[in-house]
Amino acid sequence: MIKTTNLTELLNRWEQSTKELSGNLTTNNHLPIEIKNKLLYENKDLISDLHFEESSLKPLCPELNSIKGLNIISNLQKLKKKDHLTVYRTIRFPTIARIHETVHNQGLSIPNYEQERILQLYENREYLKKRAIQKKDQRFITQPQERVVDGLPVFNLVNDALQIHQAYRNEQDRVLLIGIHIPYKLIESESIELIANTAIDLDYNNDEQDFKITEFQKKETEVIIDYSTLRVQGIDLHEMYIKGLPFNLEEHSFLGLEQRFFLLDIYKTNIFDRRQNTIETEILKKNEYFMHGIFGDQNVFGRNTSKYLPINCYEVKKNEF
């Protein structure tokens, strides 16, 4: 069972963090008050409708097991279901009210309001004036914009999902991770589409570099994205989004989507500085299934070095009375 005594302390920390600038590359601003109120609404009484079960975890090799939290990422990455593709989404500011709404009603469609925050800023007159001035400066021949996508952002890797939404995040924090099993028949029939996208582009609504993912493989009975084909086509998959998804759990279940919910206590780390990397190459290669991208990449607008790892992992379910 999770500790309920620190819920007030956690809410207070979130309240303080939302008073700071976000720290984003091109949307470095405060969180609008109306969005903050939606994110930080709380109702602790709803905890009686939820069941939290500490996850049983298989250990890694000693070198990786000594880094607290890698075994949690590894075990979550192994979630799979026959003839399904598994992807992940992270929900920030998981108050009891937001966890309850996720597990009981909206599932992976629960909003993080980050795209709404970005749109508000990009429609702000003061910001547009500032951007117009910067574009005239020869040092800013291009000024990238953080993307707003036409769908729901998801990730193929647990670690990628965990590193997103670092705006307003504390050094010790909490997120809700959703593992999503998508029936492959929905992808084959194009009822649901998966689109690889850039996190940052010249204009926030530019989809010219978006790429529909159509190549998949079967590994035993599990369906996986064909990374090798994407790489040949010039795509090192990081972010993607789903198109065609309904907006609540009932409709998700009707389509055959299955979801599992995990509450993660997380902490900030600098252990993945690639210049100080001491993990042997063979160990990295053997564990590529969950460590791919953990040291970031060379694309200045791509993956950054992983900064957060989980400490605890609880699976969340509806309480059965």
Side-chain angles (χ1 to χ4, degrees), residues 77-90:
Q77 191 65 52
K78 290 178 179 177
L79 294 180
K80 57 187 177 182
K81 183 175 172 61
K82 182 180 178 182
D83 296 326
H84 287 63
L85 174 73
T86 301
V87 295
Y88 302 87
R89 181 154 193 248
T90 300

Side-chain angles (χ1 to χ4, degrees), residues 106-196:
Q106 295 193 51
L108 73 146
S109 295
I110 188 82
N112 277 310
Y113 297 107
E114 181 63 4
Q115 299 203 77
E116 288 81 352
R117 184 187 77 84
I118 291 172
L119 278 172
Q120 281 193 28
L121 184 60
Y122 288 163
E123 293 170 0
N124 180 283
R125 289 185 180 181
E126 291 302 313
Y127 173 84
L128 292 175
K129 284 181 186 178
K130 195 180 297 183
R131 174 169 161 77
I133 293 169
Q134 287 176 328
K135 286 177 72 175
K136 291 177 182 177
D137 190 325
Q138 290 303 305
R139 294 171 298 174
F140 292 92
I141 296 172
T142 61
Q143 186 186 354
Q145 301 287 278
E146 283 159 274
R147 280 291 310 279
V148 175
V149 299
D150 181 25
L152 192 67
V154 293
F155 294 86
N156 193 53
L157 296 173
V158 171
N159 183 62
D160 284 343
L162 181 61
Q163 305 311 320
I164 203 69
H165 298 312
Q166 291 186 19
Y168 317 112
R169 186 179 278 184
N170 293 288
E171 292 201 358
Q172 291 196 355
D173 217 301
R174 181 172 281 177
V175 296
L176 184 69
L177 183 88
I178 308 176
I180 307 138
H181 301 303
I182 305 172
Y184 183 55
K185 63 182 180 181
L186 294 180
I187 300 172
E188 276 188 311
S189 65
E190 299 185 341
S191 300
I192 283 179
E193 296 180 331
L194 286 171
I195 312 293

Side-chain angles (χ1 to χ4, degrees), residues 49-51 103-105 249 261 316-321:
D49 294 336
L50 300 168
H51 175 70
V103 173
H104 281 262
N105 298 314
L249 268 173
F261 308 98
V316 189
K317 300 178 181 179
K318 295 179 183 178
N319 213 353
E320 301 294 338
F321 293 103

Side-chain angles (χ1 to χ4, degrees), residues 20 24 60 113 157 201 223 265 271 300:
E20 306 293 330
N24 293 76
L60 298 167
Y113 297 107
L157 296 173
D201 216 313
V223 177
D265 289 316
I271 201 168
V300 67

Side-chain angles (χ1 to χ4, degrees), residues 43-278:
N43 183 348
K44 295 176 188 175
D45 292 340
L46 295 173
I47 198 169
S48 61
D49 294 336
L50 300 168
H51 175 70
F52 299 87
E53 182 177 330
E54 190 163 6
S55 298
S56 177
L57 305 169
K58 293 183 179 179
L60 298 167
C61 66
E63 188 170 1
L64 295 183
N65 222 46
S66 65
I67 303 174
K68 191 167 182 62
L70 285 185
N71 64 327
I72 296 176
I73 295 177
S74 167
N75 278 265
L76 291 172
Q77 191 65 52
K78 290 178 179 177
L79 294 180
K80 57 187 177 182
K81 183 175 172 61
K82 182 180 178 182
D83 296 326
H84 287 63
L85 174 73
T86 301
V87 295
Y88 302 87
R89 181 154 193 248
T90 300
I91 306 304
R92 63 176 175 177
F93 301 121
T95 62
I96 295 302
R98 273 172 61 76
I99 296 172
H100 187 278
E101 180 63 19
T102 303
V103 173
H104 281 262
N105 298 314
Q106 295 193 51
L108 73 146
S109 295
I110 188 82
N112 277 310
Y113 297 107
E114 181 63 4
Q115 299 203 77
E116 288 81 352
R117 184 187 77 84
I118 291 172
L119 278 172
Q120 281 193 28
L121 184 60
Y122 288 163
E123 293 170 0
N124 180 283
R125 289 185 180 181
E126 291 302 313
Y127 173 84
L128 292 175
K129 284 181 186 178
K130 195 180 297 183
R131 174 169 161 77
I133 293 169
Q134 287 176 328
K135 286 177 72 175
K136 291 177 182 177
D137 190 325
Q138 290 303 305
R139 294 171 298 174
F140 292 92
I141 296 172
T142 61
Q143 186 186 354
Q145 301 287 278
E146 283 159 274
R147 280 291 310 279
V148 175
V149 299
D150 181 25
L152 192 67
V154 293
F155 294 86
N156 193 53
L157 296 173
V158 171
N159 183 62
D160 284 343
L162 181 61
Q163 305 311 320
I164 203 69
H165 298 312
Q166 291 186 19
Y168 317 112
R169 186 179 278 184
N170 293 288
E171 292 201 358
Q172 291 196 355
D173 217 301
R174 181 172 281 177
V175 296
L176 184 69
L177 183 88
I178 308 176
I180 307 138
H181 301 303
I182 305 172
Y184 183 55
K185 63 182 180 181
L186 294 180
I187 300 172
E188 276 188 311
S189 65
E190 299 185 341
S191 300
I192 283 179
E193 296 180 331
L194 286 171
I195 312 293
N197 68 286
T198 54
I200 293 177
D201 216 313
L202 292 181
D203 292 293
Y204 71 85
N205 59 354
N206 179 28
D207 63 358
E208 290 181 4
Q209 295 191 70
D210 287 5
F211 186 87
K212 183 177 176 181
I213 301 170
T214 58
E215 300 294 331
F216 299 86
Q217 297 176 337
K218 271 201 173 181
K219 185 179 179 182
E220 297 176 353
T221 61
E222 174 194 13
V223 177
I224 60 173
I225 293 172
D226 185 349
Y227 270 111
S228 59
T229 299
L230 286 179
R231 286 171 185 151
V232 168
Q233 295 167 330
I235 299 167
D236 183 7
L237 185 62
H238 176 215
E239 298 200 3
M240 59 181 170
Y241 61 92
I242 299 179
K243 294 185 71 170
L245 192 72
F247 295 104
N248 59 61
L249 268 173
E250 186 176 353
E251 292 181 76
H252 296 163
S253 298
F254 180 77
L255 284 178
L257 270 76
E258 294 187 21
Q259 298 168 60
R260 293 176 68 180
F261 308 98
F262 299 89
L263 190 63
L264 305 180
D265 289 316
I266 60 176
Y267 70 98
K268 193 171 187 178
T269 179
N270 60 0
I271 201 168
F272 298 118
D273 183 338
R274 72 164 70 95
R275 292 166 297 181
Q276 300 175 21
N277 174 30
T278 59

